[in-house]
Structures are given as structure tokens and as C-alpha cells.
Amino acid sequence: MLRWFGGSAPGARTALPDDARMVWNGPPLWAVGNWPAHLLRTAETDTGRIVVFGPCSASDNDVAHAARLNDPAPMLCRWAGSFTAVRTHPGAVDVFSDGAHACPLYTVTTPQGLVWGSSALALAPLADSRVDTEWLAAYLWDKRAPAPGRSPWKNIVPVRPGQRLTLTPDGAAAATPWWSLSTRTYTEAVARLRHLLTESVRARTSVPASTDLAGLDSTTLAVIAAAVSPTPVTAITAHPDGQRSGGDLTYAAQLTVPGLTRMLLPLRAGHLPFTSADVPLPATDEPAPSTTTWAMFSAQLRLATAAGATAHLTGDGGDNLALPPPTHVADLVRSGRWLRAAADIMGWARLRRIDPRPLARAALQTDARRLARTSPTRPPWLTAPPPPPPSTPNRATGDANTELIDNVRTAARAAYADAQLADSLGIELHNPYFDAAVLESVVSAPAATRFSTHRYKPLLLDAVGDLLPSPHRYRTTKGTFVSAFHYGVRANLPHLLDRADGRLAALNLIDPAPLRTALRHAALGVETPWATLLRTLAAETWLGVAEASLDCGWQTEEAL
């Protein structure tokens, strides 16, 4: 069963989902699915009530104190974790959306009034909704730039991250920002990042936990988890079957810390990308990043469960936070620091083996967005036009902080779909690098200090590098599985060719012929635009599963 929560405005008729467990009434607030105590905490005082959904570093006393405050937002900003807070007070209910978008929220307007929830898929039946093809077309072009103000489902509207959604008995709904940023010195930001990463992991390891053990990001979390968890932590390293050393295996073997048990996952033919898994792919709000690798991902999660874990931590988000593109150069140009700007442009171009001239032009125009990403090349199979540029004033010439926040929020929202996949197997999936407080601590440092072409992830290593053994501290690479994707296409080519003429083609979003050509090239090992190809194949699979799963039943009742 999909795990999610939601509610509606006070004093109105409301629709209640089947299988809902009421957290409180007046206004109705419910939870669906399995919500263990550490993921759902409540407190009630004479002046109001509060509930916190999701992993959070706050103590029970902290939650109770927040319920007494007229405005708990400053206190919420200090808590590590990925959570949504809901507070009622006389005449209104406030829903605080997660600042990093790791806990997406959505609203839908019904004849009985506005209903909000943490799953677009679950809300869709209230609006007799189907997939929003405009959102899907934008996603196929660039998952980092979906149609603004839209969700994958028609008439299901996303709540912007870091917003307070206030609902009143007259049916009014207002969204105002609550999540705020601070400015710190580099030293202060480093100390805060270390503290928050530690508390973020601690909040997720009060139950038996496992972690990935691969690159720097996941290794860091594994070491922290072993130090703070009250029970031993299982660290899992995936590797090609038959490989005895090299890559992640070598580094994993060198990690010996108390409280950490290493475990290997040999990847065999049945784990190849695009291969059917032993368990069906469950429905999610949007195409999950692990859709095309579900056979491997589900095997890893089941291995973690077999080892006794009920929560699994990944290093996803570490690259987004700690390995930024040179967006800070726009800020350097604005402040007249031309020599540093030129040096960083040339250093990045050498590192990435790209032409520095487009970067220089973007820098002269102080266009951080173009520095953050190159214009997507049109894949020959996409028939929909590219999404329009953002209409937000000054968005095209934003600063480094804006680009970092947008990048993390997009990745965190997509990662929530992976958490929904894990829920179907009975294990919690956690991504501490997507915590809003962790993001805020990184953004608080001067942008130029977060970037380096000479040091790998300097901010992260300065914060927690001393916790790692020397080989891991100076590692600048990570294991890659590109060859597995080529093998996966080759092994599943007939099936993939058939799916090229599927639902996306029926919606006139793709042309099957060039997609088949790209698949044949990938099977031969030709250099492949994997990012776009994987999005296309994931979307095709997701469409078939999600539209067949709009079975969340709803009952309309008088407000309790």
C-alpha cells in the first residue's frame, strides 16, 4: 500500500481516502499505510497541535515546544531531517512544506473544498485526473525543468518547497514562504554541515539500518551511521559478478570501523538495467530514477531487509550539494573579480574537456543558469517542442545559490519516487543529503568557496573528511555502471524495440523510429545520450504502471 498523508481545511465537507488512519479530526488529518512512531510524532497544547511526518532530529520536547509557538518556522529551520510539519491553531491549519522538496506536497480542488496530500497519485482520483502531457513533455526534455506549477497529474497542483500553506474555514488557501537562508563564514558553514549531517543520520538510525557503500558520499554516511546507530549497520556494495577487486570493492574492503558490517551484492544477468524484476514495479507519483534499474534496486533493498534493516540510507544528493558547476562565476563577475572568474572558467573547461567560450559568454552575461547547465540537445525521437524558459523575473540571470537550491530540489523531488518504490518492499529509503537544513548549511557558505577544480568536494571533506580513512578522503572517483546499461539494452533489445511504439508514441510525444535506432546503437556499445534515453524509457514504463493504479478509493463525509 502507498504510504502517504493528507488533510483538508477546517470546518468544510471533506473527502477521506479508504484505509485512512485519522491523526486528528477538526480539521481532518490522516495517514495511509505504515507509519512507525519515529516517522509520525504529534504534540498538543492549549493553543494548538502539531504533527511531524518524516525523519526529524527534533526531540519529543522540541515537538511539544513547537506546538506552543505562535510561529514555529524558526524552530523548524533548525531541525535536521526531511519532514512536513502540520500545525492547527484557532481558526486555521498551517502545512509547512519541506524546504528541499524531499517531501513533495500537492493540492486538488474538489466540490467539497481543497484537499492536500503527499502523493499526487493518491489525489488524482479526486479530480478524475490523468497524466498531464505538458508536464511529461517537459520532463522528457529535461527532468530539471518540468512545467512550473504543474505535476505529473492534471489538476493536481504542487505546493512550492519551503512554503506555509494556510487553510481557513472560509475555504481560503494562502501559501507564503517560511524556509529562510542565512549567511555564514566558510568555517561556520563547515561546522554546521558536520553537525547537521550527523544529526540527520542519527534521526534515521534509531531503527536497524543499512547504507550504500560505494563512493565518497555513501561512505561518509556509512561511517557516521556506524558511530551513532544503537545497532550494527549493514553497508552494501554492489559490483559486477566475478569481480574480486577494483573500484568500489577496493575502497569498501579498506573501510573497517566499529559497528559496520560490510555486505556484497554481486550483480548478475538478472540485475541488468531494463530487465524484469522478480517483484512488479509499483506505481509512483512520477517516473522514479530507479525505474530502469528496478531489478538491481529491488534486489539491494531485499538484501538489506534480509539483513534485518528497516531503513536504508543512500548517498544520493551528495554530488548535487558538494560538486557544483561554476555558477559562482556569475557572482564573481558581478563583484568585479575577473581574474578568479577567468581562472575558474578555464579550470572547469580543462576538467570537463569542453570549450570555455560558451562559459565565458554566460559569465559575462552573469547568467548562472547557463553556467549550471548546457542547453539540452534535442534527441531525434522527441517530437514535443522544448519547454519555454522560466518566466520568473531575473531567473535567467540568477545567482549560484538559486541554481544550487533549484538543482537539489529537483533531484530531491524525483528521489521521493524512489522512496515510494522502497515503501512497497517494506523498507524506508532515506537520502540525508537532501535535508533542507543540510542544504541551507551548504548555501550559507560563500559560493566561491564551495567550488574547486583542484580539490574534490572541498566543503564536504572539510566538514567530515577526518572521519574517513585516508584512501577514502583522497578518492576522486566512483564506480560506474555505464557498460551495464549497454549490456542491459543488448539483453532486452526485442522488448525495448516493441515498447518504442507504446504509450509515449500514442501521445505524440516521441517518434518511435529514431528511438529504435538509438536503442540499436546503445546495444552495439556506441556512445549514447543516456540521460535522455533513460528518461524516455522510464516514462514509458511509468505510464503503464501508474495509469493502471488509480485505485485509491475516496469517501465524501461531513467534517468530523
Side-chain angles (χ1 to χ4, degrees):
M1 178 187 297
L2 190 68
R3 180 170 63 187
W4 67 286
F5 58 90
S8 58
R13 288 174 57 85
T14 188
L16 298 177
D18 293 344
D19 302 314
R21 172 166 70 96
M22 299 305 296
V23 179
W24 64 48
N25 298 313
L29 178 69
W30 60 79
V32 179
N34 179 35
W35 284 92
H38 65 282
L39 296 182
L40 198 169
R41 291 188 288 165
T42 62
E44 185 169 356
T45 68
D46 294 338
T47 58
R49 297 174 295 183
I50 194 168
V51 59
V52 179
F53 291 98
C56 178
S57 66
S59 67
D60 290 343
N61 287 336
D62 291 336
V63 175
H65 181 59
R68 291 190 292 268
L69 298 175
N70 290 330
D71 181 12
M75 191 172 190
L76 301 182
C77 283
R78 296 195 294 270
W79 295 348
S82 296
F83 58 88
T84 301
V86 185
R87 180 177 181 271
T88 64
H89 48 97
V93 57
D94 293 328
V95 184
F96 295 85
S97 66
D98 175 69
H101 218 10
C103 307
L105 294 177
Y106 304 90
T107 65
V108 58
T109 301
T110 74
Q112 292 77 37
L114 184 140
V115 178
W116 64 270
S118 64
S119 170
L121 177 67
L123 294 178
L126 282 177
D128 194 23
S129 182
R130 288 295 180 264
V131 169
D132 187 328
T133 54
E134 290 190 27
W135 183 95
L136 189 56
Y139 168 86
L140 291 174
W141 266 95
D142 184 357
K143 69 177 182 180
R144 298 169 297 184
R150 308 176 83 109
S151 81
W153 301 92
K154 290 182 179 178
N155 301 318
I156 309 300
V157 181
V159 178
R160 293 179 59 191
Q163 296 279 306
R164 182 201 318 243
L165 180 66
T166 301
L167 307 174
T168 53
D170 60 3
T176 54
W178 74 269
W179 188 66
S180 59
L181 303 176
S182 301
T183 300
R184 300 181 181 88
T185 66
Y186 184 79
T187 301
E188 291 169 339
V190 163
R192 181 167 174 77
L193 177 59
R194 182 188 182 107
H195 168 72
L196 287 169
L197 269 181
T198 302
E199 293 308 303
S200 175
V201 173
R202 191 193 308 274
R204 292 165 162 95
T205 53
S206 61
V207 297
S210 59
T211 72
D212 292 344
L213 183 56
L216 171 66
D217 305 322
S218 59
T219 301
T220 298
L221 298 182
V223 170
I224 296 174
V228 302
S229 173
T231 57
V233 174
T234 300
I236 300 174
T237 301
H239 65 93
D241 189 26
Q243 180 181 342
R244 303 301 180 192
S245 62
D248 292 339
L249 280 176
T250 296
Y251 287 93
Q254 294 173 335
L255 187 68
T256 304
V257 296
L260 192 70
T261 301
R262 299 194 308 269
M263 186 172 289
L264 299 180
L265 174 61
L267 300 177
R268 302 183 174 94
H271 299 128
L272 283 172
F274 320 112
T275 300
S276 296
D278 296 336
V279 290
L281 182 77
T284 53
D285 288 344
E286 64 176 87
S290 297
T291 297
T292 57
T293 57
W294 176 234
M296 182 188 77
F297 186 45
S298 60
Q300 182 180 18
L301 294 177
R302 284 183 292 170
L303 181 62
T305 301
T310 60
H312 183 76
L313 280 62
T314 86
D316 288 356
D319 286 348
N320 303 87
L321 273 175
L323 199 62
T327 51
H328 70 288
V329 172
D331 300 343
L332 294 175
V333 170
R334 288 192 190 99
S335 61
R337 298 173 63 186
W338 298 98
L339 291 178
R340 169 69 191 274
D344 285 354
I345 287 173
M346 296 304 298
W348 182 261
R350 284 193 299 270
L351 186 66
R352 297 289 175 170
R353 297 180 181 179
I354 58 176
D355 185 350
R357 288 173 294 184
L359 296 175
R361 285 193 293 269
L364 291 173
Q365 296 169 358
T366 63
D367 191 341
R369 188 170 193 272
R370 282 174 52 200
L371 289 164
R373 63 189 77 163
T374 57
S375 299
T377 301
R378 184 187 186 104
W381 60 85
L382 288 190
T383 58
S391 58
T392 306
N394 300 322
R395 176 63 181 81
T397 56
D399 59 16
N401 287 348
T402 299
E403 293 303 328
L404 179 60
I405 292 171
D406 283 358
N407 184 11
V408 169
R409 283 175 169 174
T410 299
R413 188 207 71 238
Y416 183 74
D418 270 352
Q420 291 178 319
L421 294 181
D423 282 345
S424 71
L425 297 178
I427 188 167
E428 305 162 19
L429 187 71
H430 296 295
N431 304 299
Y433 291 110
F434 286 139
D435 282 8
V438 170
L439 171 60
E440 192 277 335
S441 67
V442 171
V443 172
S444 71
T449 65
R450 305 191 299 252
F451 176 89
S452 176
T453 57
H454 306 292
R455 294 184 62 208
Y456 185 65
K457 299 185 177 180
L459 184 63
L460 179 62
L461 282 173
D462 285 344
V464 295
D466 63 302
L467 302 177
L468 301 173
S470 179
H472 299 80
R473 194 181 312 141
Y474 296 107
R475 184 183 183 186
T476 60
T477 61
K478 62 173 65 180
T480 63
F481 295 89
V482 173
S483 60
F485 284 93
H486 286 289
Y487 290 136
V489 172
R490 188 179 308 161
N492 296 280
L493 187 58
H495 174 61
L496 294 174
L497 292 175
D498 287 342
R499 294 178 57 203
D501 199 8
R503 291 174 174 84
L504 291 176
L507 293 171
N508 296 317
L509 295 178
I510 68 166
D511 180 352
L515 179 56
R516 291 193 190 97
T517 299
L519 288 168
R520 292 189 180 98
H521 287 171
L524 293 172
V526 176
E527 185 174 353
T528 301
W530 284 116
T532 310
L533 184 60
L534 292 178
R535 279 200 302 276
T536 302
L537 297 174
E540 178 66 34
T541 301
W542 172 78
L543 272 172
V545 174
E547 290 199 323
S549 304
L550 292 173
D551 57 359
C552 178
W554 290 83
Q555 298 178 3
T556 302
E557 300 179 359
E558 294 291 335
L560 300 175

